[in-house]
Amino acid sequence: MRLRLTVRGVALACAAIGLGVAAYWTLQGAFLVPAVLAGGVVVAGLLLLILAPAGRDVDWHPPSVAVEGVDLDVPVRLPDAYAGGWWRPQTSLDPVTFSWDRLESSATHLRVYAPHRGVHRLGPVRVRRKDPLGAWLSTRRLETLGELVVGPRVTPLQASAVLGHGIDAAVSRVGQGDLVDQLVRDYRPGDPVRRIHWRQTARHGDLMVRQEQPPATPRVVIVLDTLADGWRDDDEFDEGVRAFASLCMAVASQGLQVEVQETGVAQLGDGVLASRTALLDACARLEVARMAVDRGTQGPTIVVTGMGSQPMQRILADLDPGSTVWSVTGDDRTVARSVRHVRWNAGHPYDARRPA
């Protein structure tokens, strides 16, 4: 804690000293009374600041996940002793700096303008308050930290624009009215009567029974190139994360099983698609990786890439027909003729090439 005299405190201290000197030189005891009073105010104010507990905890209440580029207010509660004082927060939201603001009460908010994707530190906080007599000003640093998680901006995408023809064919079978009708076999002695499929029996002319095997939900693999050498800079990687999150949301909304993969060391957990909040939280924490991990893909795949790291180039060379490459960069890199190529175009995608 740092202490300094206010203007009032300086005036009182000077008055006490001046009156004390006057009383000494003139031998007039009448000067001692105001000198003692003025000095007493200064001393009493100092004791009140030192002895009165102020508290050191700061309560941050940020949203679960904020969205990049969207202004927000983060509620903050400071110790009650600082109501009527001033505060100055510090964060990792560079190059944002905050000035000293008046505290009308201990509950206030931190205004954040257009935050960028990532996990940002909230705090520490510097606070100032005067003693009740107004003679001293104390400045203290409160170390309680908070965390602001800012997820990528998600662009709503139509499923028809996202899925390649290989995946789209599987999706077209999801949710059909009587898909179990397709899973029948010939009746065998001992089969229960309840499993007889009368519609298929009438169609085939022989008794048919349900196999009662639920249809498998189509699985979609979405691969994001997370290696540093696959992107020109951090801004381009951020754009890739926006595309990745948008594609995950669009595919998951179709009721499909989604498997996410990365070309670098895994950063996305198993529950990344449990909810929109979980996806945005995981994408907020994504960073470019330095260590590659080779993972093969099977079946139609959705790929999000920039210039393409070496592991990503190997994935592109082995993509199955029906896959789709979503390219964030604007270069003229080509892929196999059997693969659809979509330019992300900062959230305004268009087909650069469809399979021949």
Side-chain angles (χ1 to χ4, degrees):
M1 181 172 64
R2 296 171 52 192
L3 295 170
R4 67 178 178 86
L5 287 168
T6 63
V7 174
R8 178 185 296 179
V10 171
L12 289 171
C14 291
I17 295 172
L19 290 170
V21 172
Y24 176 78
W25 284 105
T26 63
L27 300 178
Q28 295 293 324
F31 289 117
L32 290 177
V33 175
V36 171
L37 290 176
V41 171
V42 175
V43 174
L46 178 61
L47 292 176
L48 288 172
L49 275 181
I50 294 176
L51 299 179
R56 302 183 63 87
D57 293 332
V58 180
D59 294 327
W60 301 93
H61 300 283
S64 299
V65 182
V67 179
E68 66 174 337
V70 179
D71 300 346
L72 74 153
D73 291 323
V74 178
V76 186
R77 186 170 186 86
L78 301 166
D80 292 337
Y82 293 101
W86 298 265
W87 79 308
R88 183 179 183 179
Q90 296 175 321
T91 71
S92 61
L93 290 161
D94 296 331
V96 178
T97 57
F98 299 92
S99 59
W100 288 99
D101 288 331
R102 184 78 176 182
L103 285 169
E104 300 298 335
S105 68
S106 59
T108 184
H109 66 270
L110 173 66
R111 183 67 169 169
V112 179
Y113 296 95
H116 55 274
R117 185 188 67 85
V119 180
H120 305 284
R121 186 197 76 248
L122 301 176
V125 173
R126 292 186 180 274
V127 287
R128 286 178 176 173
R129 66 174 180 137
K130 292 181 179 180
D131 68 272
L133 302 176
W136 291 89
L137 180 68
S138 71
T139 302
R140 173 171 287 182
R141 178 184 170 104
L142 306 181
E143 299 290 349
T144 307
L145 302 180
E147 183 179 80
L148 177 62
V149 180
V150 181
R153 183 174 61 254
V154 174
T155 300
L157 299 173
Q158 296 294 329
S160 58
V162 173
L163 303 173
H165 64 271
I167 303 172
D168 199 33
V171 175
S172 65
R173 296 193 298 270
V174 177
Q176 289 182 354
D178 199 6
L179 188 55
V180 179
D181 289 356
Q182 304 174 21
L183 303 175
V184 296
R185 59 172 173 79
D186 293 332
Y187 174 84
R188 290 195 290 261
D191 286 336
V193 175
R194 64 179 179 80
R195 290 178 58 186
I196 296 177
H197 198 297
W198 298 108
R199 184 188 304 176
Q200 294 295 333
T201 295
R203 182 179 300 172
H204 292 275
D206 296 317
L207 283 175
M208 307 293 292
V209 297
R210 302 175 188 270
Q211 298 190 70
E212 293 189 349
Q213 296 177 354
T217 302
R219 171 175 153 275
V220 179
V221 179
I222 304 179
V223 183
L224 173 65
D225 192 358
T226 56
L227 290 173
D229 58 358
W231 305 92
R232 290 192 178 95
D233 50 37
D234 290 341
D235 289 340
E236 190 176 75
F237 177 69
D238 285 342
E239 198 64 50
V241 176
R242 295 183 194 111
F244 173 77
S246 301
L247 291 167
C248 287
M249 292 292 295
V251 174
S253 67
Q254 300 302 304
L256 306 177
Q257 293 182 0
V258 182
E259 176 185 344
V260 295
Q261 294 185 8
E262 307 155 63
T263 55
V265 176
Q267 303 176 62
L268 301 170
D270 294 335
V272 63
L273 294 172
S275 64
R276 177 187 177 92
T277 299
L279 174 63
L280 294 180
D281 182 273
C283 289
R285 302 176 190 275
L286 273 175
E287 299 178 351
V288 290
R290 305 294 175 181
M291 183 179 297
V293 177
D294 283 331
R295 298 182 179 91
T297 60
Q298 293 182 347
T301 302
I302 297 175
V303 173
V304 181
T305 182
M307 297 183 298
S309 60
Q310 287 299 321
M312 176 56 72
Q313 293 294 341
R314 289 193 289 271
I315 291 175
L316 294 174
D318 295 333
L319 283 177
D320 290 340
S323 299
T324 305
V325 175
W326 287 71
S327 177
V328 174
T329 185
D331 65 12
D332 295 328
R333 177 182 53 82
T334 59
V335 294
R337 293 176 61 84
S338 61
V339 174
R340 178 181 171 216
H341 187 190
V342 180
R343 290 281 172 80
W344 173 245
N345 192 32
H348 301 85
Y350 64 92
D351 279 327
R353 184 177 62 256
R354 284 189 173 271

